[in-house]
Amino acid sequence: MSASTPEQASFLLPKKAIPISKETCAEFQNDVAGFKELARVSFEVGPSVAVGNNVFILGCGTKLALEALKESSRLPKDGRVFTCVGEVEQLELYGTYRSWDYTESLVRTTLPCDKLPTPNQACDLMLVDGLLPILPCNGVYAAREVYRTLKTNGTAIFNCWVHAPHLEAIYEATRLVGKTMAMAPKIRAFIDKFRWSAQLHSVVEQAGFRPENITLKARWYYVRVYDLQKYARWIWSFVAPNFIPEWEQEDEDIWDVMEDKIKDCLTETRGFQDWPGGSVTLIFSVNLAIATKWPLSPSTFQVVEAKNSLLGTMQDRTNYNVARVNKLLSRTTTLDLTLSTVGYTLHLLHALLSRVNTARVALAAASIAQKVSENQALLPGEALLIQPSPLSRLVRSQQASAALAGLIDDYRMFMRLVRGLPGIWSWGAGVWASPPEDLALRAIAWSQVASCALFQGLENWAYLGMKGVVAVPKESIGRMFRWSSRFWCAHVTLEFVRLARTRVLRRRKGLKSGGEEKENKIERVKEEAKWWEDVYVNAAWMPLTVHWSGEGFVGEGAIALLTLFAGNYSLRRAWESTA
C-alpha cells in the first residue's frame, strides 16, 4: 500500500499526523509495511541471476528492494538493475556498483505501468513488488507490459499480501468509530483483492504467460516494532489518506481515539507476538506467482498479441461508454429521458407480447374447437375455457415487462413530484429576469409557465392521493390526472404557436439582413433543423396529451411508439453532449 501524495495531505494536516516526505515515506515502507522483507522473500523463490543479466524492479519500495537484492548476493555482475516508480520520466538506471539516490518519484502514487519505457525482451528477471492491488483492472495492463519487457526464458515474480496487519488493524478500527465507518468497506475491498491465489494466477495468465509456466507459492515474514503507539500513528497518517479525499477537522478531534483503536486492533491480529522490553513482532503473509516466459511460435505469438490488443481496445471502449452512461444518468433531465426510453420500450414489448399471446390463444382455441366439433365431445350447455399457461416464457416475459415498465413510470412520476415545481419556478424566474423582446413570445412564455405549473401541481396532488398520502376521493384522482394532462396539452399547443411565431420572426430578420444572410447560412441551417425537430417532437406529443386528457383512444403500442419518437431527438442530443 503506497502513501498518499503530498498534494492529498496538504489541505489540512492534523497536529499529530506524521508529515509525508521522502524520509518519512522511506521509513514507513521499511518499518511499517516491511517492503524490504517482502522483496527478500520474493527474490528467494526466484531463479539465480546470471552474469550480464538485467533485473527490473517495478512497484513500491524499490530502494528497499534494491537493498534486499544486494544483501541476497543476487546483484548481477556486469548487468544492470532498473527500477521504475512514479512517472515514466523518472525511470532510474542503476549500474552494478553505483550508489542509488532516493528520489521524489518514490513518494508518488501515479504509476503509468501500462506503458513502460523499455524495449521488448530487455530483462531477465522482473519483480512486481506490492503493485497489482493499487492499479486499475487489478494490474492486468501492467502485467502485460511485464510480459512484453521480459526476455524469452526470463522470469517475472509478482507478490501480493494475503494478510497485512497494518491494513487489518485500520479496517477493524474504522468499523468501530462512527465517523470513519464509511472507510471500512473501501479498505475491506482493497484487502480482499488478492486474498485468493486464483486471482493472482488469473491476472498473470491474462498477461500472456502460459498456465503451466505459472507457479504459485505462499510465504510469510516478520516486522519488528519497537514502539507500537508510534506504529499506530504511522498507519493512520499514511494509510488513511488513501481512502479519504482529504483530512478534515473531525479527524483532528478523533486522532487519539483512532490511534488507540488501531493499537488495540494490532494486538488482535494473527501472529502478534509481544517481547520483553516493549517490542512486538507482526507477521505478514504473501502470495507469490513465479511466471516464466517460454518461446512461442510466430503464429501463436501473433494470436496472443492480437488477443491482448483486442481485449485492451474493448476495455478502453467499454470504460469510455460506461463513463458516458454515468454522465447521462447523473443529470436529472437526461436521467428522465433515459428512463422514459427504457420504460416505453418495455411498454412496446408488452404490447407486442400481448398480441402474440392473444394470437396463440386464438389459434389454439380454433384448433381445439374444430376437434371438439368433429368429435362432439361437449354436451349441450357445456363450455370450454382456454387460457395461456402462466408458466409460458412469453407470458412471463409479458408480465415482467409490464411490471418493470410500471416501476419506471412510478419512479419518473415521483421525480416530477420532487423536482417538477422547483424547476418550473426557476423557468419562470428566468423568463422574469430576461423576457423575450417580442410581445407575442413573451405572452406565450408566461402562458406556458402557468400551464406547466398547473399541470405539475394537479399531477402531484393526484399522485399523492393515489398513494394515500393525502385524502382524495378515488373518483377524483382520475379526474385530476385528466385535467393535469389538459394543461399539458395546452402547453404543447402553445409550443406550436411559439414555433410558428419564431419562424415568422426569423424570416423577417432574414429579409432585413440582406447581404449578411450568406455569412450566417450555416447557423440558419442549424436553426432550421432544430426548428423541424421541435415540430416533430411536438407533433408526437399532441395526440398523447389529447389521449390522456380524455377517456383515451390510443393503444399501448401506439403510445410507446409516439413517446419513443418524441424522446429520440432529446436523448440523442443528450448522448452527444456526454462525448
Side-chain angles (χ1 to χ4, degrees):
M1 187 76 182
S2 60
S4 64
T5 61
E7 290 80 9
Q8 285 177 307
S10 63
F11 297 103
L12 172 67
L13 185 66
K15 295 177 182 177
K16 292 189 176 182
I18 299 173
I20 297 175
S21 65
K22 293 183 293 184
E23 293 75 16
T24 58
C25 188
E27 192 174 350
F28 170 82
Q29 290 175 339
N30 193 29
D31 294 349
V32 179
F35 274 103
K36 184 176 179 179
E37 290 299 305
L38 176 62
R40 180 185 62 78
V41 297
S42 300
F43 281 126
E44 285 178 355
V45 300
S48 301
V49 182
V51 175
N53 282 177
N54 292 330
V55 180
F56 199 128
I57 302 173
L58 180 67
C60 308
T62 52
K63 179 177 182 290
L64 298 168
L66 282 166
E67 293 178 358
L69 179 64
K70 184 177 180 180
E71 291 175 6
S72 68
S73 301
R74 290 172 178 264
L75 198 65
K77 295 181 179 180
D78 301 323
R80 293 184 298 176
V81 178
F82 297 89
T83 66
C84 184
V85 63
E87 303 297 338
V88 292
E89 292 81 3
Q90 298 293 333
L91 179 68
E92 302 161 21
L93 172 63
Y94 297 99
T96 305
Y97 302 107
R98 286 182 55 190
S99 61
W100 43 78
D101 298 322
Y102 192 71
T103 66
E104 287 286 348
S105 65
L106 293 175
V107 297
R108 299 182 182 177
T109 56
T110 302
L111 298 165
C113 300
D114 56 339
K115 294 180 181 178
L116 295 178
T118 48
N120 295 339
Q121 302 196 39
C123 299
D124 300 277
L125 175 65
M126 299 189 72
L127 172 63
V128 182
D129 198 27
L131 183 63
L132 296 183
I134 65 176
L135 291 178
C137 303
N138 291 333
V140 171
Y141 291 151
R144 288 176 184 166
E145 279 293 280
V146 169
Y147 183 87
R148 178 189 63 80
T149 304
L150 202 63
K151 290 181 181 179
T152 299
N153 296 325
T155 301
I157 305 171
F158 302 84
N159 59 40
C160 293
W161 280 315
V162 176
H163 172 72
H166 64 298
L167 295 178
E168 297 287 351
I170 194 173
Y171 166 69
E172 293 296 337
T174 52
R175 289 198 311 120
L176 300 174
V177 180
K179 194 268 176 187
T180 60
M181 283 183 179
M183 292 171 55
K186 299 178 183 178
I187 301 173
R188 185 75 263 167
F190 179 84
I191 294 172
D192 290 341
K193 271 189 174 183
F194 286 92
R195 179 173 291 275
W196 307 110
S197 58
Q199 177 63 28
L200 180 59
H201 190 284
S202 174
V203 170
V204 177
E205 186 178 347
Q206 290 179 61
F209 293 94
R210 295 179 183 178
E212 61 270 21
N213 295 334
I214 303 172
T215 302
L216 296 176
K217 294 186 178 181
R219 291 291 185 272
W220 52 265
Y221 63 89
Y222 285 109
V223 170
R224 191 72 173 260
V225 178
Y226 294 93
D227 186 343
L228 197 59
Q229 189 70 40
K230 184 179 179 182
Y231 190 89
R233 186 173 303 169
W234 272 113
I235 295 174
W236 189 236
S237 299
F238 273 63
V239 179
N242 289 277
F243 302 99
I244 56 176
E246 59 185 64
W247 292 117
E248 298 177 355
Q249 184 58 45
E250 290 181 68
D251 298 307
E252 179 83 65
D253 301 335
I254 65 169
W255 189 273
D256 292 335
V257 175
M258 290 306 302
E259 269 194 29
D260 293 339
K261 291 290 183 186
I262 293 172
K263 181 180 177 182
D264 293 341
C265 292
L266 283 168
T267 62
E268 302 296 327
T269 57
R270 185 173 70 242
F272 178 86
Q273 181 67 48
D274 198 353
W275 295 94
S279 66
V280 300
T281 52
L282 301 171
I283 188 171
F284 289 70
S285 57
V286 295
N287 278 331
L288 298 161
I290 304 94
T292 303
K293 182 179 179 180
W294 286 92
L296 300 175
S297 64
S299 59
T300 307
F301 182 78
Q302 290 173 1
V303 169
V304 171
E305 289 293 309
K307 184 183 78 171
N308 289 342
S309 176
L310 179 61
L311 289 174
T313 303
M314 291 174 62
Q315 179 88 22
D316 294 341
R317 194 65 190 173
T318 302
N319 291 341
Y320 174 69
N321 287 326
V322 169
R324 292 183 69 181
V325 170
N326 183 53
K327 287 182 183 178
L328 199 67
L329 299 180
S330 62
R331 306 168 189 164
T332 304
T333 53
T334 53
L335 172 61
D336 185 72
L337 283 171
T338 307
L339 290 178
S340 174
T341 301
V342 174
Y344 282 102
T345 300
L346 291 169
H347 277 297
L348 181 60
L349 178 62
H350 177 261
L352 294 174
L353 289 175
S354 298
R355 290 198 174 197
V356 171
N357 285 327
T358 302
R360 289 179 65 206
V361 171
L363 186 62
S367 175
I368 294 173
Q370 183 179 358
K371 292 179 181 179
V372 169
S373 176
E374 291 174 354
N375 299 327
Q376 297 182 349
L378 291 179
L379 297 175
E382 289 184 331
L384 181 64
L385 179 63
I386 300 173
Q387 61 180 7
S389 170
L391 299 178
S392 166
R393 288 186 179 179
L394 284 176
V395 173
R396 288 203 305 270
S397 299
Q398 177 186 343
Q399 295 170 346
S401 60
L404 185 54
L407 183 64
I408 292 174
D409 292 343
D410 191 75
Y411 176 78
R412 292 182 61 228
M413 193 172 292
F414 177 76
M415 289 305 297
R416 289 200 297 272
L417 171 72
V418 175
R419 304 277 306 215
L421 286 176
I424 294 170
W425 178 278
S426 300
W427 176 23
V431 174
W432 177 269
S434 55
E437 295 180 2
D438 182 67
L439 293 177
L441 289 180
R442 189 181 306 177
I444 293 169
W446 280 117
S447 299
Q448 287 184 306
V449 170
S451 62
C452 284
L454 290 168
F455 149 72
Q456 194 59 63
L458 285 169
E459 184 188 75
N460 289 352
W461 196 255
Y463 180 74
L464 292 174
M466 183 176 66
K467 296 297 182 181
V469 179
V470 296
V472 179
K474 288 185 178 181
E475 61 274 9
S476 299
I477 293 176
R479 188 163 60 251
M480 292 177 70
F481 273 124
R482 285 193 295 273
W483 272 104
S484 171
S485 297
R486 287 166 190 167
F487 285 112
W488 183 17
C489 183
H491 165 76
V492 174
T493 304
L494 288 168
E495 184 67 10
F496 274 121
V497 179
R498 185 191 70 82
L499 289 169
R501 181 61 179 170
T502 302
R503 191 172 187 82
V504 170
L505 293 176
R506 194 164 67 244
R507 284 182 176 177
R508 289 179 184 175
K509 184 179 178 181
L511 292 173
K512 289 180 181 180
S513 61
E516 297 178 0
E517 188 175 355
K518 294 181 180 179
E519 299 175 2
N520 299 325
K521 185 175 181 180
I522 296 177
E523 191 64 30
R524 287 201 316 277
V525 168
K526 290 182 180 179
E527 290 178 357
E528 185 72 7
K530 174 67 168 58
W531 186 88
W532 278 109
E533 283 186 8
D534 291 342
V535 170
Y536 295 147
V537 170
N538 237 38
W541 283 124
M542 177 55 78
L544 295 177
T545 58
V546 175
H547 162 79
W548 286 314
S549 298
E551 297 300 325
F553 58 90
V554 183
E556 183 184 25
I559 291 174
L561 284 173
L562 287 170
T563 307
L564 290 173
F565 178 82
N568 170 61
Y569 291 101
S570 299
L571 185 61
R572 189 175 61 192
R573 288 186 211 138
W575 178 253
E576 290 172 354
S577 69
T578 62

